């Protein structure tokens, strides 16, 4: 099987949609032998910031000399970004080999009571099998959606992180912060230590209640886990240790929070064996589409109001003035478009909207209407190259901000190089 054939097979599962539930994934894992042995996991959930924490955990493990893998959801530019080992994407040859091995098992389930796995379930299985083949010691595992019924939750982690709670995917996870918190707290297994990020009291209380029911110790940002800014970098303190001279490789003050959670998770999991390498791990962390600068373009995968407010803070911290940016954007269904653009409006003087090559994409004109309703003058285009060209013309020598969906970032990134 070639890489193209393997990718085509995995993509052919997309029409099955996104199915929350573990029974089919558990059966798939059992039939494929994925539930036997393998690495230890640190599982990361949350509305925003989970990709950054995943990247920090991965980098901190690698620089300590561990054989470490990572799983990112979604990918931005290359489907192989989802499954990594030692910061390298799974090779095309390995991807094809693992898909070829798992495909007969998946097809054998189609006539069963479970039916065949979804695209995301299959991709998760590819990661688990690949990490076993590479003899991984640790994996930094980002949840796809929610937590309680996400396919990644077939594993029993050594520690978990819930980074943040915000309103997103409300039609699936619930329409209150407390309901969403309950879904994300579903990653907690009996006795598993849990690190919790900064969030409102209501969802925090839900998470702490579920953790108590599972007999899990909770380390909270701002209480058990603290971060200080010192002249030589950040200092992170956990109930076990203190680590100084840390400079995050990802931009924005929010990354101080995210790095602290990552270090807390490693400490809780017992994965810190060489603290002297943590500064290097922090500085080498990288995650595509998180305030990624490419020439005149800044690409950021913010796609909900909470993430947009954080992005505004980062932009101002990087010296961008209000109303100084031209926005190149689009959205997929399931996100609060108008709220997103309202939060981003202070930085944006106009928006240019292009289509996304994705089955859940919103029509470009509907996205433009949402931006206009939020106070941003917006124009839609029939093709993405037209939208990019118009945004570049409008920006002149200034910056084009690309945001609104990771899927859109991927499409734009491939075109601008």
């Amino acid at each position: 099987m070639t890489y193209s054939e393997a990718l085509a097979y995995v993509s052919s599962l997309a029409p099955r949609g996104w199915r929350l539930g573990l029974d089919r994934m558990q059966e798939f894992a059992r039939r494929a032998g994925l539930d036997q042995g393998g690495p230890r996991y640190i599982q990361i959930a949350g509305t925003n910031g989970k990709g950054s924490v995943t990247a920090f955990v991965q980098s901190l493990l690698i620089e300590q000399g561990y054989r470490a893998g990572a799983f990112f959801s979604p990918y931005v530019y290359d489907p192989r970004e989802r499954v990594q080992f030692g910061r390298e994407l799974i090779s095309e040859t390995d991807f094809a080999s693992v898909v070829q091995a798992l495909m007969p098992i998946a097809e054998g389930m189609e006539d069963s009571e479970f039916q065949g796995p979804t695209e995301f379930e299959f991709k998760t299985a590819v990661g688990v099998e690949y990490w076993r083949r590479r003899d991984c010691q640790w994996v930094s595992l980002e949840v796809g959606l929610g937590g309680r019924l996400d396919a990644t939750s077939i594993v029993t982690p050594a520690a978990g992180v819930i980074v943040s709670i915000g309103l997103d995917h409300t039609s699936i996870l619930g329409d209150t912060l407390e309901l969403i918190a309950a879904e994300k707290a579903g990653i907690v297994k009996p006795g598993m230590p849990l690190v919790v990020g900064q969030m409102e009291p209501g969802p925090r209380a839900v998470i702490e209640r579920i953790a108590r029911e599972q007999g899990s110790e909770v380390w909270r940002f701002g209480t058990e886990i603290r971060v200080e800014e010192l002249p030589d970098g950040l200092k992170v303190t956990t109930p076990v240790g203190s680590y100084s001279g840390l400079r995050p490789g990802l931009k924005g003050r929010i990354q101080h929070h995210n790095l602290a959670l990552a270090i807390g998770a490693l400490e809780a999991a017992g994965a810190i064996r060489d603290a002297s390498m943590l500064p290097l791990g922090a500085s080498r962390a990288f995650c595509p589409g998180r305030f990624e600068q490419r020439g005149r373009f800044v690409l950021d995968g913010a796609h909900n109001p909470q993430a947009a407010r954080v992005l505004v803070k980062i932009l101002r911290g990087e010296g961008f003035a209000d109303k100084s940016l031209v926005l190149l954007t689009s959205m997929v269904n399931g996100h609060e478009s108008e709220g997103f653009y309202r939060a981003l409006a202070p930085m944006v003087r106009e928006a240019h909207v292009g289509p996304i090559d994705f089955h859940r994409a919103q029509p470009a004109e509907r996205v433009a209407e949402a931006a206009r309703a939020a106070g941003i003058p917006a124009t839609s285009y029939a093709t993405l190259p037209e939208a990019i060209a118009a945004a570049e013309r409008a920006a002149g020598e200034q910056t084009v901000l690309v945001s609104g969906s990771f899927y859109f970032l991927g499409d734009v990134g491939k075109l601008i190089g």
Side-chain angles (χ1 to χ4, degrees):
M1 174 177 277
T2 66
Y3 172 68
S4 296
E5 290 169 340
L7 194 61
Y9 171 74
V10 176
S11 299
S12 74
L13 305 179
R16 294 178 179 174
W18 193 297
R19 175 187 178 273
L20 291 180
L22 294 181
D23 55 342
R24 180 164 57 197
M25 187 65 197
Q26 288 168 337
E27 177 65 12
F28 187 21
R30 186 192 67 79
R31 294 189 183 196
L34 303 180
D35 53 352
Q36 305 297 317
R40 302 181 74 191
Y41 293 89
I42 295 175
Q43 190 178 16
I44 297 116
T47 303
N48 295 304
K50 59 191 174 81
S52 297
V53 174
T54 301
F56 279 125
V57 169
Q58 174 195 35
S59 189
L60 293 165
L61 288 167
I62 290 168
E63 296 306 329
Q64 291 184 90
Y66 287 113
R67 295 178 60 80
F71 185 79
F72 289 91
S73 180
Y75 73 88
V76 183
Y77 306 117
D78 187 321
R80 296 178 299 126
E81 289 170 23
R82 285 189 183 272
V83 178
Q84 301 186 18
F85 173 74
R87 280 202 197 89
E88 297 292 330
L89 313 189
I90 182 174
S91 71
E92 294 185 357
T93 300
D94 285 331
F95 183 86
S97 174
V98 175
V99 170
Q100 187 171 21
L102 293 176
M103 189 170 68
I105 301 166
E107 291 177 340
M109 291 178 61
E110 290 179 2
D111 293 330
S112 73
E113 61 180 298
F114 300 98
Q115 301 183 323
T118 66
E119 181 185 26
F120 184 76
E121 289 167 345
F122 194 94
K123 289 174 178 176
T124 303
V126 168
V128 176
E129 173 61 17
Y130 176 65
W131 297 317
R132 289 202 315 159
R133 292 186 180 191
R134 296 304 301 263
D135 195 25
C136 269
Q137 295 167 289
W138 286 95
V139 171
S140 180
L141 184 70
E142 181 179 359
V143 168
L145 180 64
R148 182 175 64 93
L149 299 175
D150 187 75
T152 61
S153 288
I154 61 164
V155 306
T156 299
V161 184
I162 300 177
V163 183
S164 64
I165 299 295
L167 292 174
D168 202 10
H169 297 292
T170 53
S171 62
I172 300 172
L173 302 179
D175 58 3
T176 69
L177 296 178
E178 288 75 17
L179 288 173
I180 292 172
E183 288 297 319
K184 297 193 183 290
I187 68 169
V188 181
K189 304 294 196 301
M192 182 195 86
L194 181 69
V195 171
V196 179
Q198 192 167 24
M199 62 186 63
E200 295 183 22
R204 182 189 294 277
V206 171
I207 293 169
E208 291 178 353
R209 173 183 58 77
I210 292 173
R212 283 195 304 272
E213 292 170 354
Q214 296 285 5
S216 296
E217 184 178 5
V218 177
W219 290 358
R220 298 159 294 180
F221 180 83
T223 306
E224 290 81 9
I225 298 174
R226 300 184 302 279
V227 61
E228 304 171 64
E229 291 186 63
L230 301 176
D232 66 340
L234 303 179
K235 177 182 178 182
V236 173
T237 303
T238 76
V240 178
S242 184
Y243 310 94
S244 301
L246 304 164
R247 299 184 185 277
L250 301 175
K251 289 190 175 183
R253 289 183 60 85
I254 191 63
Q255 301 302 347
H256 301 181
H257 166 270
N258 294 339
L259 174 60
L261 297 185
I263 289 176
L266 263 67
E267 190 73 90
I272 294 182
R273 69 180 183 188
D274 187 352
S276 69
M277 299 306 294
L278 297 186
L280 187 59
S283 67
R284 287 187 171 176
F286 173 74
C287 197
R290 277 71 172 184
F291 206 84
E292 181 183 351
Q293 294 180 283
R294 294 197 195 183
R296 293 167 49 220
F297 291 85
V298 170
L299 299 95
D300 191 276
H303 54 270
N304 55 51
Q306 183 185 34
R309 288 189 287 271
V310 170
L311 178 55
V312 167
K313 291 180 181 178
I314 296 174
L315 289 164
R316 286 173 174 160
E318 292 295 314
F320 290 97
D322 286 7
K323 298 296 183 182
S324 66
L325 298 172
V326 170
L327 177 64
L328 178 61
T329 188
S330 201
M331 298 285 278
V332 299
N333 291 319
H335 297 301
E336 187 187 340
S337 301
E338 187 175 332
F340 170 79
Y341 292 116
R342 189 175 296 110
L344 208 55
M347 302 302 301
V348 175
R349 69 170 186 262
E350 62 183 82
H352 298 267
V353 184
I356 307 176
D357 184 17
F358 185 61
H359 65 278
R360 288 198 293 112
Q362 293 187 30
E365 180 54 28
R366 187 198 302 169
V367 177
E369 290 172 359
R372 289 192 286 266
I376 301 174
T379 307
S380 63
Y381 301 85
T383 69
L384 183 53
E386 288 178 282
I388 294 173
E392 288 187 288
R393 286 194 300 271
E397 297 301 314
Q398 294 180 301
T399 298
V400 176
L401 174 65
V402 185
S403 192
S405 163
F406 279 116
Y407 299 102
F408 185 65
L409 257 63
D411 289 348
V412 173
K414 292 169 188 173
L415 289 176
I416 66 174

